Amino acid sequence: GACSRHGVLVKGSNYLEALAQLESAVFDKTGTLTKGQFAVTEIHTLDMTQEDLLYYAACAESISNHPIGHAVQAANQRPVTAGSLQKAEEIAGHGISAVVDGHTVLVGNYRLMEQQHISCERVEETGTIIYVAVDGAFCGWIVIADEIKPDAQIMIARLKELGVKQIVMLTGDNQKTAEKVADKLGITKIFSQLLPGDKVTCLEEILQQKSKQGTVSFTGDGLNDAPVLARADVGVAMGGLGSDAAIEAADVVIMNDQPSKLADAVVIARQTRRIVKQNITFILIIKLMVLILGAVGLASMWMAVFADVGVAVLAILNAVRIIRK
């Protein structure tokens, strides 16, 4: 009840208990720590105009629902007609291969260029780099930037105050972009240039390092995050922008996409565990005392009623403090 008032849906009491023992918090970058609202900030071309480069990229990205693809399409000024795109295929974790106006177009990351044996140099700039090749020749790259969520830094600081030992960021972006975001947020450990399947491998590594009692959470929002959310001790999904698959796989859902709500959930989980321990201790002590008094003939009927109904009422009133707080 207290979590739901703060916009956090917890799917079971066992996940609330796992949050109370949180030792490592792992985050996806795009859409989780950042807004996922991308915009084209730079265009660099070789033997092609910027308008043509954006047009080819936008045609190829028209089959994509990814925010990066939407940013490219929004920046394109030339109309994309129904006949512009003859053929398109999405290459998972790499990009898109398409035929645009009779030209073979490749749009994606550096791995796509390597896979297709396109000669180009790796670009090291802040932001997400989209490489574009037309008819087997590298034509240029597009820089797309994202904005960090306002309360992401607050959330990281609060988790550290709560004693979370390790905060990790996973991203498919290049190392330079990942380091810039991590520096702003105060994250010391990052895994960059990851394919969707690599995130599970990274999480497995973190799970092996945890203590026996500690737990590891993963927070993400994308379709590719579903396997990682399912593997973590506590999977946390962004409910507003998150995909249906991510929300289904998650154990905890943050309904308003504010990452700081994770820290709220940890605080509530620890308060809940503390009050549960208080109630169990109180109940056992009272019942044991009345049991001993009853054995020696000193317990009255009213003492027995108090040990049963009265103790239950007091435990409930103690638990209600969580909602008020």
Side-chain angles (χ1 to χ4, degrees):
C3 281
S4 65
R5 286 190 175 194
H6 286 273
V8 180
L9 172 65
V10 182
K11 296 183 180 180
S13 59
N14 53 326
Y15 304 123
L16 197 66
E17 186 170 356
L19 275 176
Q21 297 171 313
L22 188 64
E23 186 176 277
S24 298
V26 185
F27 297 90
D28 176 50
K29 182 181 80 69
T30 305
T32 302
L33 297 176
T34 62
K35 291 182 177 180
Q37 298 173 351
F38 293 91
V40 173
T41 56
E42 295 180 41
I43 303 171
H44 301 269
T45 63
L46 303 172
D47 302 323
M48 181 180 287
T49 65
Q50 291 187 356
E51 290 76 11
D52 287 342
L53 189 77
L54 267 176
Y55 170 73
Y56 284 124
C59 287
E61 292 284 4
S62 63
I63 69 164
S64 173
N65 289 323
H66 196 280
I68 289 177
H70 292 163
V72 174
Q73 295 174 60
N76 175 46
Q77 299 298 318
R78 191 186 303 180
V80 177
T81 62
S84 299
L85 187 67
Q86 284 88 44
K87 181 183 176 183
E89 176 189 3
E90 189 163 355
I91 304 170
H94 290 74
I96 296 171
S97 173
V99 177
V100 179
D101 296 335
H103 298 282
T104 302
V105 178
L106 296 170
V107 180
N109 55 28
Y110 184 72
R111 294 190 193 91
L112 179 63
M113 300 295 111
E114 285 184 319
Q115 184 191 68
Q116 300 296 323
H117 307 291
I118 305 296
S119 178
C120 70
E121 292 184 4
R122 185 189 291 272
V123 178
E124 296 292 344
E125 290 192 25
T126 301
T128 301
I129 310 299
I130 304 297
Y131 296 81
V132 183
V134 179
D135 293 330
F138 180 60
C139 296
W141 68 92
I142 301 168
V143 182
I144 297 176
D146 193 6
E147 188 178 350
I148 296 173
K149 288 183 178 179
D151 67 338
Q153 191 170 5
I154 297 170
M155 180 266 297
I156 300 296
R158 288 186 63 195
L159 287 179
K160 289 180 178 179
E161 289 175 2
L162 290 169
V164 177
K165 296 179 181 178
Q166 186 173 221
I167 300 174
V168 186
M169 184 179 74
L170 309 182
T171 178
D173 288 345
N174 61 54
Q175 182 72 14
K176 189 174 181 180
T177 301
E179 287 177 352
K180 183 176 181 181
V181 174
D183 288 343
K184 285 184 177 180
L185 295 176
I187 298 174
T188 54
K189 189 171 185 177
I190 57 175
F191 293 90
S192 61
Q193 297 177 314
L194 299 177
L195 294 174
D198 296 336
K199 292 182 179 180
V200 178
T201 305
C202 292
L203 185 68
E204 291 284 359
E205 180 184 324
I206 296 166
L207 285 167
Q208 290 175 3
Q209 297 171 356
K210 71 173 184 176
S211 65
K212 188 175 181 180
Q213 297 297 324
T215 59
V216 177
S217 71
F218 175 78
T219 308
D221 70 314
L223 177 64
N224 293 330
D225 295 330
V228 203
L229 288 165
R231 180 64 188 90
D233 294 324
V234 186
V236 184
M238 295 293 167
L241 294 174
S243 68
D244 291 342
I247 293 170
E248 182 68 25
D251 309 311
V252 177
V253 181
I254 298 175
M255 303 308 296
N256 57 7
D257 288 334
Q258 294 180 4
S260 61
K261 294 299 180 182
L262 176 61
D264 291 339
V266 172
V267 170
I268 292 169
R270 291 183 179 179
Q271 288 176 347
T272 302
R273 186 176 62 173
R274 186 161 55 249
I275 286 178
V276 165
K277 287 182 177 180
Q278 288 173 2
N279 283 346
I280 290 173
T281 304
F282 172 68
I283 288 169
L284 289 178
I285 290 173
I286 295 299
K287 286 184 179 293
L288 184 62
M289 287 174 59
V290 174
L291 188 64
I292 293 170
L293 290 172
V296 296
L298 297 177
S300 65
M301 177 64 70
W302 288 112
M303 290 176 68
V305 170
F306 173 76
D308 184 20
V309 180
V311 164
V313 171
L314 290 175
I316 291 169
L317 292 174
N318 191 33
V320 169
R321 290 193 300 118
I322 300 172
I323 294 178
R324 282 197 301 108
K325 194 169 183 178

